[in-house]
Amino acid sequence: MQKIIIYRIFTMIVILFAGLAQADDLKALFDQVEQLKLERNGYILGAALNNGQMKTAKDNPVESSSKDTFKFKDKNLYVVAQKTSNRVLVMYEQFEAAPQKEIQSLIGDLYMSFDDPTVLAHDKVVYWAYTKKGKISSKEFDSARRDKKKLTILATVKCISDINITEKVKESEPAIGQVYYIISSDPILKLFQDQLQSNRM
């Protein structure tokens, strides 16, 4: 009986320290991502919301998929943040029926914010990828893919349109399509999920 009690106490201590280590790792990842300054409408990926942004969050709540996050909308921008730290996990915008000219304007705005993309594929997908040192250029990305070298991607900006974003707009019959972009960090989201699962154990 005593051995069982000791084992349970030991297991609880291990879980506690594992949780604390994950929390430290998550904070370190948030700090690294925040340094990249991936900003949209004043919100920065990985950074804590300021007082004005917290007020916007309270005034414009959107149902969140997790009790450990909160979600809100600021004009067209959706923001998902961690409840305990108020740090931004994800930002995105989506448009269901946007004219081609508006889609091209959005893409142009993203180019202005994030410079030349890492990847432009099929004239419908634009992708910016970042390591902790900054943005990966298209040349670096192509070289890594050619040499089968793994890139440690810390954060991404992905924009996907279902119509051609470079094609000339036909004024007589302008194309209408869906478009969305999302700014996120896969390493943060993975560690965040892992932390949630370990907390439920």
Side-chain angles (χ1 to χ4, degrees):
M1 184 67 178
Q2 189 177 8
K3 284 183 179 179
I4 293 172
I5 292 170
I6 291 169
Y7 175 75
R8 284 180 179 168
I9 291 171
F10 176 75
T11 304
M12 286 172 64
I13 290 170
V14 168
I15 290 170
L16 175 65
F17 278 106
L20 291 172
Q22 280 188 333
D24 287 343
D25 289 345
L26 186 58
K27 183 185 181 305
L29 271 176
F30 269 128
D31 289 343
Q32 283 185 357
V33 170
E34 183 180 358
Q35 291 302 311
L36 294 173
K37 302 291 184 195
L38 300 183
E39 182 265 339
R40 196 71 183 153
N41 298 354
Y43 299 92
I44 297 173
L45 187 66
L49 301 172
N50 61 35
N51 291 337
Q53 292 166 342
M54 286 298 295
K55 184 178 185 309
T56 300
K58 287 176 184 173
D59 293 343
N60 302 278
V62 176
E63 188 177 348
S64 179
S65 59
S66 168
K67 65 180 180 62
D68 298 282
T69 65
F70 62 95
K71 182 177 177 181
F72 64 97
K73 192 176 182 184
D74 187 346
K75 296 175 184 165
N76 289 321
L77 183 71
Y78 289 90
V79 180
V80 180
Q82 183 187 31
K83 269 188 182 174
T84 53
S85 66
N86 299 329
R87 297 180 87 152
V88 177
L89 286 163
V90 175
M91 295 180 278
Y92 70 93
E93 282 189 82
Q94 56 186 12
F95 302 93
E96 296 298 322
Q100 187 180 6
K101 192 174 280 188
E102 282 186 23
I103 291 175
Q104 289 178 341
S105 176
L106 173 64
I107 301 296
D109 192 26
L110 293 173
Y111 267 73
M112 290 292 289
S113 296
F114 305 111
D115 207 0
D116 291 335
T118 304
V119 176
L120 172 60
H122 315 297
D123 291 324
K124 292 184 178 181
V125 178
V126 191
Y127 178 80
W128 291 261
Y130 296 80
T131 66
K132 63 182 180 181
K133 293 180 180 178
K135 191 185 72 178
I136 302 167
S137 69
S138 58
K139 188 176 179 181
E140 288 172 317
F141 184 82
D142 290 341
S143 175
R145 187 172 55 178
R146 187 176 57 249
D147 299 338
K148 295 181 180 177
K149 179 184 173 186
K150 190 176 186 305
L151 292 167
T152 305
I153 295 173
L154 185 60
T156 57
V157 180
K158 299 175 190 173
C159 182
I160 299 175
S161 165
D162 65 0
I163 61 174
N164 193 310
I165 57 179
T166 58
E167 194 173 74
K168 187 177 179 182
V169 177
K170 296 175 183 174
E171 297 294 342
S172 57
E173 46 177 334
I176 304 290
Q178 296 181 49
V179 64
Y180 77 90
Y181 72 83
I182 182 166
I183 304 171
S184 63
S185 165
D186 284 349
I188 282 181
L189 294 176
K190 184 180 184 309
L191 191 55
F192 181 68
Q193 288 300 323
D194 290 346
Q195 194 179 74
L196 293 183
Q197 287 175 4
S198 67
N199 289 342
R200 292 190 188 109
M201 290 174 66

